[in-house]
Amino acid sequence: MSCEPGSTVEGEKDEAPTSFPPIPRPARGCDVCGALFAQWLRLRDPRSDAYDRAEAAAVEREIQLHPHAGE
Ligand SMILES: [Zn+2]
């Protein structure tokens, strides 16, 4: 991996300038995803008493892996 300026790889998109972790995308209308997402928001908030980065990562995977019919 190279971070040198000017070394662009063709076909690669620009990375976002921030280092925030990817936000999971809960499926619309899915109660499970919605609940998991609300939980995730609390788990990843350092000011929340539920703050737990490892747990947040686990919940994030759950959201991403939650199966939906018709997808
Ligand atoms: Zn879902």
Side-chain angles (χ1 to χ4, degrees):
M1 285 251 286
S2 168
C3 292
E4 288 175 68
S7 64
T8 49
V9 180
E10 202 175 328
E12 205 171 9
K13 288 178 189 167
D14 285 335
E15 295 274 343
T18 53
S19 59
F20 286 108
I23 296 172
R25 296 182 188 173
R28 266 191 179 183
C30 176
D31 289 344
V32 176
C33 282
L36 285 170
F37 187 64
Q39 191 185 356
W40 179 80
L41 287 175
R42 278 169 54 84
L43 288 168
R44 70 185 286 276
D45 182 357
R47 289 165 301 179
S48 166
D49 52 0
Y51 181 58
D52 186 331
R53 288 182 63 177
E55 189 64 25
V59 170
E60 189 180 315
R61 264 195 300 279
E62 269 195 77
I63 295 172
Q64 285 161 351
L65 295 176
H66 195 239
H68 299 101
E71 231 177 56

